Amino acid sequence: MAAFNVNGIRAAVRRGFDSWLAASNADVVCLQEVRAPLEKIPPEAFAGYHLAYHEGDQPGRAGVAILSRSEPSAVRMGQYSVSGGMLRRKSVSYADELRPLDDMV
């Protein structure tokens, strides 16, 4: 499993993200700050992975993605008000696992 802030997925792809992903052999990759609508991202950027994606509510800001080799049996998204701002959550579950993957915060 790998998780990191890509600070803009389009910029990350220009810097070689797709090559890193192919070489990483990670089963699950969690990305934050993707900052782009899905239709603006080259399809090869996530080749070989199932994608759970939310571009965020404000263009050019926030956004999360969960890439996984196995297809999730469920994808849940939520947004909650907290003191000082908003908390966004995306989680995925897998039917063949003993328990669901814990919520990503």
Side-chain angles (χ1 to χ4, degrees), residues 32-46:
Q32 65 185 38
E33 297 294 333
V34 293
R35 300 182 181 178
L38 188 55
E39 63 271 5
K40 300 264 184 181
I41 301 168
E44 63 272 10
F46 305 129

Side-chain angles (χ1 to χ4, degrees), residues 4-52:
F4 56 95
N5 181 324
V6 293
N7 199 23
I9 189 64
R10 291 177 288 185
V13 168
R14 286 192 300 273
R15 293 187 309 261
F17 173 80
D18 49 345
S19 298
W20 172 86
L21 184 62
S24 75
N25 205 23
D27 292 323
V28 177
V29 179
C30 301
L31 307 176
Q32 65 185 38
E33 297 294 333
V34 293
R35 300 182 181 178
L38 188 55
E39 63 271 5
K40 300 264 184 181
I41 301 168
E44 63 272 10
F46 305 129
Y49 285 85
H50 296 276
L51 176 65

